[in-house]
């Protein structure tokens, strides 16, 4: 298929991420097209990327098989490092909600990358820009946060709930009804929660004990 043909004989130049979108940049000099190629990856709800013999990320709501290739593996890449070491990368997706797209031309000028909001870790917009976007929206604030083409990209359900909880803002409150202090608190929570999660490699066991996150899967049974 096209994805398989794009990878065969190509050299991996770089990888990137913005929000929930990731991409591989490939050097196509050995191809007839002699152009750079990009493979865009979106993991969906239960997708993951794992490297053979390397411990992967631990997820709260699902598990990735330790066997190789992992169960539900949809794509397996075999690569060779400059010193000849073989490296295997697998993309697993049990619910099949993830996406893999091949782009021959510049992917940053077309959707989905071109319409994404700012990344809260790699390049957040300013608090003033965030305030402007929130106040002009009549949508529920949680819906605005979940909109990947809104002020921020990369915010999913648990992060939206967490930052709203920490900011003491009701998820159904319209953005246009929030006051300056609420918006500032929400902005700080978004940046803080996202950066902390990245710093601990998304290991939920290292999240602060007072985070709402720990109550999400406890069904109200965990003591507070």
């Amino acid at each position: 298929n096209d994805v398989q043909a794009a990878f065969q004989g190509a050299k991996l130049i770089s990888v990137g991420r913005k929000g929930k979108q990731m991409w591989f940049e490939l050097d196509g000099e050995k191809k007839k097209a002699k152009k750079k190629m990009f493979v865009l990856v979106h993991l969906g709800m239960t997708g993951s990327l794992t490297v053979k013999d390397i411990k992967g990320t631990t997820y709260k709501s699902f598990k990735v098989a330790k066997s190789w290739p992992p169960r539900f593996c949809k794509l397996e890449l075999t690569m060779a490092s400059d010193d000849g070491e073989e490296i295997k990368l697998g993309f697993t997706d049990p619910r099949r909600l993830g996406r893999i797209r091949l782009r021959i031309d510049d992917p940053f000028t077309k959707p989905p990358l071109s319409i994404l909001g700012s990344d809260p870790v790699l390049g957040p917009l300013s608090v003033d820009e965030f305030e402007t976007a929130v106040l002009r929206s009549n949508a529920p604030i949680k819906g605005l946060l979940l909109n990947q083409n809104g002020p921020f990209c990369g915010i999913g359900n648990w992060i939206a709930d967490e930052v709203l909880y920490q900011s003491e803002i009701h998820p159904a409150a319209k953005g246009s009804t929030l006051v300056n202090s609420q918006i500032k608190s929400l902005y700080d929570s978004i940046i803080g929660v996202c950066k902390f999660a990245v710093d601990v490699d998304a290991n939920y066991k290292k999240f602060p004990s007072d985070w709402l996150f720990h109550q999400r899967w406890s069904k109200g049974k965990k003591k507070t």
Side-chain angles (χ1 to χ4, degrees):
N1 56 40
D2 290 343
V3 174
Q4 184 179 23
F7 276 110
Q8 287 181 336
K11 182 177 181 180
L12 179 62
I13 300 176
S14 66
V15 296
R17 179 195 66 79
K18 185 175 183 182
K20 299 181 180 182
Q21 299 284 345
M22 295 178 286
W23 58 88
F24 299 90
E25 181 180 359
L26 306 176
D27 187 347
E29 288 186 359
K30 295 182 180 180
K31 302 288 183 176
K32 292 181 180 180
K34 293 185 178 180
K35 292 182 179 179
K36 288 183 179 180
M37 296 172 289
F38 296 82
V39 178
L40 278 58
V41 180
H42 187 287
L43 297 178
M45 294 181 66
T46 57
S48 64
L49 291 172
T50 54
V51 179
K52 185 179 180 181
D53 298 326
I54 299 296
K55 184 178 180 181
T57 301
T58 301
Y59 298 93
K60 181 71 173 179
S61 56
F62 67 96
K63 295 182 179 180
V64 179
K66 296 181 180 180
S67 58
W68 196 269
R71 188 183 181 193
F72 304 117
C73 185
K74 309 302 181 185
L75 176 68
E76 181 183 9
L77 301 178
T78 300
M79 299 171 282
S81 64
D82 291 337
D83 58 6
E85 180 185 3
E86 184 179 84
I87 301 170
K88 289 183 178 291
L89 175 71
F91 169 61
T92 61
D93 186 17
R95 295 185 64 181
R96 299 185 179 183
L97 297 175
R99 294 290 183 271
I100 297 178
R101 299 179 174 93
L102 177 64
R103 295 287 187 268
I104 300 299
D105 51 359
D106 186 354
F108 307 105
T109 61
K110 297 179 181 179
L113 298 183
S114 65
I115 58 177
L116 291 175
S118 69
D119 188 291
V121 175
L122 300 178
L125 76 174
S126 69
V127 64
D128 291 337
E129 292 171 322
F130 180 65
E131 181 176 8
T132 298
V134 170
L135 291 178
R136 71 185 179 194
S137 174
N138 286 319
I141 187 61
K142 182 176 178 179
L144 181 63
L145 296 180
L146 292 176
N147 181 2
Q148 301 303 298
N149 306 327
F152 285 112
C153 63
I155 296 179
N157 200 42
W158 81 260
I159 293 180
D161 286 344
E162 187 66 52
V163 299
L164 290 170
Y165 170 76
Q166 293 188 17
S167 305
E168 300 181 353
I169 298 174
H170 195 285
K174 293 183 178 180
S176 57
T177 66
L178 302 184
V179 299
N180 179 272
S181 59
Q182 290 177 304
I183 296 174
K184 176 64 165 58
S185 176
L186 180 57
Y187 179 88
D188 290 342
S189 293
I190 292 171
I191 303 301
V193 168
C194 291
K195 285 188 174 181
F196 187 92
V198 169
D199 287 343
V200 299
D201 197 25
N203 185 343
Y204 65 89
K205 295 179 180 179
K206 295 182 179 180
F207 291 173
S209 60
D210 60 349
W211 276 21
L212 178 67
F213 179 94
H214 300 291
Q215 306 299 322
R216 290 177 57 84
W217 287 272
S218 67
K219 298 181 180 180
K221 296 179 180 180
K222 187 174 180 178
K223 296 181 180 181
T224 58

